[in-house]
């Protein structure tokens, strides 16, 4: 569980946050044949749909679980490294019934939080995704807002931008970025021992007040925000739903 595959993510973190907003999109190679993404499959059974917060918390845990899995240092290393070296794109898709069961055979990790299930799959070229993934719908992943209650003690908190509306699928991808950034920052600080006690990579997902969001935001000092307040920011390239350069999530260690 070394997390070494995440090192390039930590190395470019401050540079990414410092880019002009439009440049965040221009910085990513958009050659359709080379675009790589991690499929994040949300279980959305018609008769028993999940609540939004557990679904997002499962997505956050599943994404980082793939990167910290022992196989990330072995048979999964090459596809993970090729993905992290460019951009950590994720595509959320919904599945139910037999389609959900089918993706369990693909390389990845399934996480369950309060009955909500998400499977994050090994990243690969979007143009070469297996049919078990490509037949799944991207749209239609909405679930009602819920009231998650207080944050559990001792878990990282992923704060969603209160000024930005995101579908459940978009938010699932963003919190997956956030959990990965936390792990990358911990490695960069030589704190891999945190992973040993990070049970099931559990994170809390919450929406703060605008005032609290502003107080947490790293602003123009991302490294200082990490060192002093243990906060990292997810900044989106703006390919879907939000404008380029939007900070979608602030992730904070307890």
């Amino acid at each position: 569980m070394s997390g070494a595959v995440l090192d390039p993510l930590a190395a470019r973190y401050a540079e990414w946050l410092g880019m002009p907003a439009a440049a965040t999109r221009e910085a990513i190679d958009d050659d359709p044949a080379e675009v790589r993404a991690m499929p994040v499959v949300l279980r959305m059974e018609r008769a028993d749909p999940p609540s939004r917060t557990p679904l997002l918390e499962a997505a956050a845990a599943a994404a980082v679980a793939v990167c910290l899995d022992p196989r990330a240092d072995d048979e999964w290393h090459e596809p993970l490294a090729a993905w992290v070296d460019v951009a950590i794109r994720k595509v959320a898709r919904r599945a139910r019934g037999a389609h959900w069961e089918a993706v369990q055979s693909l390389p990845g990790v399934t996480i369950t939080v309060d009955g909500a299930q998400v499977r994050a799959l090994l990243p690969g070229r979007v143009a070469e995704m297996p049919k078990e993934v490509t037949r799944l719908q991207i749209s239609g992943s909405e679930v009602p807002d819920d009231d998650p209650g207080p944050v559990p003690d001792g878990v990282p908190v992923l704060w969603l931008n209160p000024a930005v509306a995101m579908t459940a699928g978009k938010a699932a991808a963003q919190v997956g970025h956030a959990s990965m950034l936390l792990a990358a920052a911990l490695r960069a600080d030589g704190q891999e021992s945190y992973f040993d006690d990070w049970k099931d990579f559990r994170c809390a997902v919450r929406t703060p007040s605008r005032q609290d969001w502003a107080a947490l935001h790293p602003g123009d000092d991302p490294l200082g925000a990490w060192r002093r307040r243990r906060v990292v920011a997810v900044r989106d390239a703006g390919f879907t739903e939000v404008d380029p350069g939007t900070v979608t999530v602030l992730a904070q260690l307890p």
Side-chain angles (χ1 to χ4, degrees):
M1 196 189 293
S2 74
V5 74
L6 295 172
D7 287 350
L9 187 58
R12 65 176 184 261
Y13 172 65
E15 178 185 358
W16 178 252
L17 282 193
M19 283 185 179
T24 59
R25 184 163 184 167
E26 296 164 0
I28 297 176
D29 181 7
D30 205 26
D31 179 351
E34 294 301 320
V35 171
R36 296 173 184 266
M38 169 186 277
V40 179
V41 184
L42 316 177
R43 187 174 189 180
M44 306 282 286
E45 299 293 342
R46 186 177 287 110
D48 187 23
S51 298
R52 183 180 174 96
T53 297
L55 188 71
L56 297 183
E57 292 177 349
V64 75
V66 171
C67 301
L68 298 182
D69 189 283
R71 289 167 288 186
D73 294 326
D74 192 7
E75 67 258 41
W76 288 2
H77 183 78
E78 185 175 346
L80 279 168
W83 173 61
V84 172
D85 280 349
V86 179
I88 54 169
R89 283 186 176 179
K90 297 180 180 70
V91 178
R93 297 176 181 266
R94 59 183 173 88
R96 62 171 63 99
H99 287 180
W100 170 256
E101 296 303 325
V103 299
Q104 302 308 303
S105 65
L106 301 176
V109 176
T110 296
I111 295 288
T112 303
V113 175
D114 296 340
Q117 289 189 297
V118 174
R119 185 168 182 82
L121 301 177
L122 193 63
R125 288 186 177 88
V126 172
E128 299 173 359
M129 288 292 168
K131 69 179 187 310
E132 291 91 343
V133 173
T134 58
R135 69 187 178 187
L136 301 177
Q137 295 294 313
I138 296 176
S139 61
S141 59
E142 267 316 281
V143 290
D145 288 335
D146 57 0
D147 182 5
V151 174
D153 292 336
V155 300
V157 186
L158 312 181
W159 301 102
L160 299 173
N161 189 331
V164 176
M166 291 183 282
T167 64
K170 179 69 173 180
Q174 300 303 300
V175 296
H177 297 343
S179 60
M180 287 176 57
L181 274 171
L182 277 179
L186 286 163
R187 256 194 66 84
D189 267 1
Q191 298 182 53
E192 296 98 321
S193 60
Y194 185 91
F195 303 154
D196 297 334
D197 299 321
W198 195 2
K199 185 173 175 57
D200 298 326
F201 311 110
R202 182 68 186 271
C203 298
V205 176
R206 298 292 188 272
T207 302
S209 68
R210 295 196 181 207
Q211 182 178 2
D212 287 345
W213 173 269
L216 280 170
H217 199 293
D220 59 0
D221 187 17
L223 295 182
W226 169 249
R227 289 170 183 149
R228 291 191 300 272
R229 304 197 304 275
R230 287 297 189 248
V231 172
V232 294
V234 175
R235 196 177 191 215
D236 195 68
F239 288 100
T240 61
E241 294 193 28
V242 303
D243 294 331
T246 299
V247 175
T248 54
V249 183
L250 299 177
Q252 183 180 32
L253 283 182

